[in-house]
Amino acid sequence: MGSESRPEGRILDAGALRALAHPLRVRLYDLLSQYGPQTASGLAGLTGESTGATSYHLRALAQHDLIREVQGRGTARERWWERPAGAVTLVNPEMSTTPSGRAVMEAVHSETLTLRQQQLMTFVTHGWDDDQEWFDRSLISTASARLTVDQMAELADRLQSVIAETVDRYRDQSGDDLRVVTMRADVFPLPAEGGTR
């Protein structure tokens, strides 16, 4: 999955991937990625977990530099945590050579995609309850085309470029009329005609 226009980002080592291979840790990491700095108690409120549990899992993520404490913010009793900016690659080529390594990567991917699907379904089910304009201007699109592997890679690169440009341009924007917007790009080959996986 390497390409000139697709940012490689940090390739997580085995320790970081194993630390992330836990449903609550994936959720905490995701919340910090999407909503910015949070405290353990704030994350406990968002996840329905105890502050003790979120604190424990935040420290486990920090041990592998997946997240870090926000310097100059908080107190000894209430620490703020953030996810460092930048792309992260959940595929480690070295780990993909062993069954246990693949199992860890699959666990992280599965939990990450489950969260994304839950977010999408929540939006589809309740999006119009919140603000009709946001719902009307959203996009959920699926299409199919017959492509070569090079054509598929070119499409993936073009989509990633648009996403990366948007994130770079607006990452630190602030204002009352802003909402966190998640961006997804799904490009993958379907099984051969009539085939199954």
Side-chain angles (χ1 to χ4, degrees):
M1 280 181 50
S3 171
E4 290 179 16
S5 64
R6 273 184 273 176
E8 279 285 320
R10 175 186 172 194
I11 298 174
L12 299 184
D13 62 25
L17 279 166
R18 284 188 178 92
L20 196 54
H22 183 284
L24 181 55
R25 291 180 190 171
V26 169
R27 189 147 183 230
L28 295 172
Y29 187 75
D30 219 33
L31 287 166
L32 292 171
S33 297
Q34 292 176 332
Y35 294 101
Q38 304 281 330
T39 63
S41 58
L43 288 165
L46 293 171
T47 60
E49 298 287 335
S50 71
T51 300
T54 56
S55 291
Y56 171 80
H57 289 294
L58 287 166
R59 288 191 304 274
L61 292 171
Q63 286 177 347
H64 294 278
D65 298 321
L66 291 162
I67 64 169
R68 64 186 176 207
E69 190 172 351
V70 179
Q71 296 301 313
R73 188 171 182 185
T75 64
R77 292 183 55 107
E78 189 76 291
R79 298 163 72 182
W80 284 80
W81 299 93
E82 67 182 353
R83 179 200 176 282
V88 173
T89 301
L90 299 178
V91 175
N92 181 316
E94 292 175 13
M95 290 184 70
S96 65
T97 62
T98 66
S100 62
R102 284 193 301 273
V104 168
M105 288 190 298
E106 288 170 13
V108 173
H109 276 109
S110 176
E111 193 60 36
T112 300
L113 293 174
T114 296
L115 285 172
R116 296 287 183 274
Q117 185 62 22
Q118 288 170 348
Q119 289 175 330
L120 177 61
M121 293 310 299
T122 298
F123 174 74
V124 168
T125 306
H126 301 289
W128 56 81
D129 296 343
D130 190 19
D131 188 322
Q132 188 66 41
E133 184 177 13
W134 283 92
F135 188 80
D136 291 344
R137 292 188 176 196
S138 66
L139 174 67
I140 301 170
S141 177
T142 301
S144 300
R146 295 179 184 279
L147 304 175
T148 66
V149 67
D150 290 338
Q151 291 165 337
M152 182 183 74
E154 178 190 358
L155 174 60
D157 288 344
R158 287 171 46 207
L159 292 171
Q160 183 58 49
S161 292
V162 170
I163 291 170
E165 175 188 324
T166 302
V167 170
D168 289 345
R169 188 173 186 185
Y170 298 113
R171 174 183 287 123
D172 298 321
Q173 186 172 227
S174 60
D176 292 338
D177 59 342
L178 301 176
R179 297 269 303 269
V180 174
V181 175
T182 188
M183 294 165 271
R184 296 171 51 141
D186 299 323
V187 180
F188 56 91
L190 295 174
E193 266 70 328
T196 59
R197 291 189 188 223

